[in-house]
């Protein structure tokens, strides 16, 4: 029992027809839709659109059959809202995170509305959306966001929203990692003695330089996460547990009055912290573009520069893969080159 799309090969291509079967009664309906035999990008896009059209007709016919026999109003797959479907999937199923929410928000911004019909999503649409991501995001973010969207499209295809996944032939593009600005220990020492408009920001940022914690973890860091000279917490971004041994400098930055559920640092918003960082860098005469994430990059690069192996560095940063840690090897090489160039001249 059901309605299926069948194919019949001919001289000029493959014709599509419906095979409808309900309670022993069978009927056939030729749709006047033909798939092209070629394999060019234009042919593939045409065939994908024709299969989507055939699926919408199949859903409509099956809906009509059920309405005639039971009066059931079945929502057509072709009329489902992909954005609404994606929101439900993210909320209800495991394995979806804020990255999926992030790409969904970008998709809403791209289409300019809060609804998106499946028939509007094809290879050309996805290519244009990828271009849009590259205009508003940097580094590896466009690729990461697009991978999240592909996951949502796979789920939608499993739920019969698409006959075939429209993202199957759209590949994530290669990206070039932009060189991040980092701080040396000499520069950190200069910052320690330079004036920052907000002392909490100053202490917290230097603590990040010595532990590699992200801003989102620093803002919610509680005294109970620190036991003696060890810091342990579940990272908010990756949900991976990280354990860092605190050196004497890091311990000195922790307020002695903080206990149990007390926040260690009372920080303003992320934008507020960045404003303080910019003024602080100017006061210290450090001509580098330093963001809060620069503290994490500085921690990783200085670890490698001072002899830590890549595996140890990866564990201290809480990375899920060594490929994320490899960038710190490049930063360390840059630091070593600077150290050699700063040696006193003989001639």
């Amino acid at each position: 029992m059901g309605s299926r799309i069948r194919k019949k090969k001919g001289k000029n291509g493959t014709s599509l027809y419906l095979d409808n079967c309900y309670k022993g009664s069978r009927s056939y309906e030729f749709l006047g839709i033909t798939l092209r035999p070629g394999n060019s990008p234009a042919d593939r896009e045409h065939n994908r659109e024709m299969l989507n059209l055939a699926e919408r007709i199949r859903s409509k016919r099956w809906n009509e059959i059920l309405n005639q026999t039971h009066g059931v109003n079945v929502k057509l797959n072709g009329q489902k809202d992909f954005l609404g479907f994606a929101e439900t999937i993210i909320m209800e199923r495991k394995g979806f995170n804020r990255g999926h929410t992030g790409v969904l928000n970008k998709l809403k911004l791209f289409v300019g509305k809060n609804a998106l019909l499946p028939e509007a999503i094809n290879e050309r649409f996805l290519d244009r959306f990828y271009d849009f991501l590259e205009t508003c995001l940097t580094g590896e973010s466009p690729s990461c966001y697009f991978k999240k969207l592909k996951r949502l499209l796979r789920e939608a295809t499993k739920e019969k929203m698409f006959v075939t996944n429209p993202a199957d032939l759209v590949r994530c593009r290669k990206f070039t990692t932009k060189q991040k600005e980092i701080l040396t220990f000499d520069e950190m020492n200069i910052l320690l003695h330079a004036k920052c408009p907000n002392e909490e920001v100053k202490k917290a940022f230097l603590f990040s330089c010595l532990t590699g914690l992200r801003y989102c973890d620093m803002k919610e860091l509680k005294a109970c996460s620190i036991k003696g000279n060890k810091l342990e917490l579940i990272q908010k971004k990756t949900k991976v547990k990280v354990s860092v041994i605190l050196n004497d400098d890091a311990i000195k930055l922790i307020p002695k009055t903080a206990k149990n559920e007390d926040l260690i640092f009372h920080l303003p918003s992320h934008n507020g912290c960045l404003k303080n960082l910019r003024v602080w860098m100017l006061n210290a005469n450090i001509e580098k573009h330093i963001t809060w994430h620069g503290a994490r990059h500085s921690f990783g690069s200085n670890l490698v520069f001072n002899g830590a192996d890549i595996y140890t560095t990866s564990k201290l940063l809480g990375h899920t893969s060594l490929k994320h840690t490899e960038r710190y090897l490049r930063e360390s090489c840059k630091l070593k080159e600077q150290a050699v160039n700063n040696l006193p001249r003989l001639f």
Side-chain angles (χ1 to χ4, degrees), residues 87-153:
E87 286 180 343
T88 303
I89 288 292
I90 292 169
M91 287 189 296
E92 295 181 354
R93 297 190 186 177
K94 293 181 179 180
F96 292 89
N97 53 38
R98 66 177 187 169
H100 296 94
T101 302
V103 73
L104 190 57
N105 289 335
K106 293 294 184 187
L107 191 56
K108 289 179 182 178
L109 185 63
F110 176 68
V111 298
K113 51 189 177 180
N114 291 322
L116 179 62
L117 296 179
E119 56 260 37
I121 304 175
N122 52 34
E123 287 181 45
R124 184 179 300 171
F125 174 89
L126 294 173
D127 277 332
R128 288 192 293 110
F129 178 60
Y130 209 135
D131 293 337
F132 171 75
L133 289 177
E134 290 183 329
T135 64
C136 58
L137 299 171
T138 59
E140 61 186 304
S141 295
S143 175
C144 291
Y145 268 52
F146 197 76
K147 287 177 183 177
K148 302 290 185 183
L149 177 60
K150 293 186 78 171
R151 169 83 186 281
L152 291 170
L153 289 169

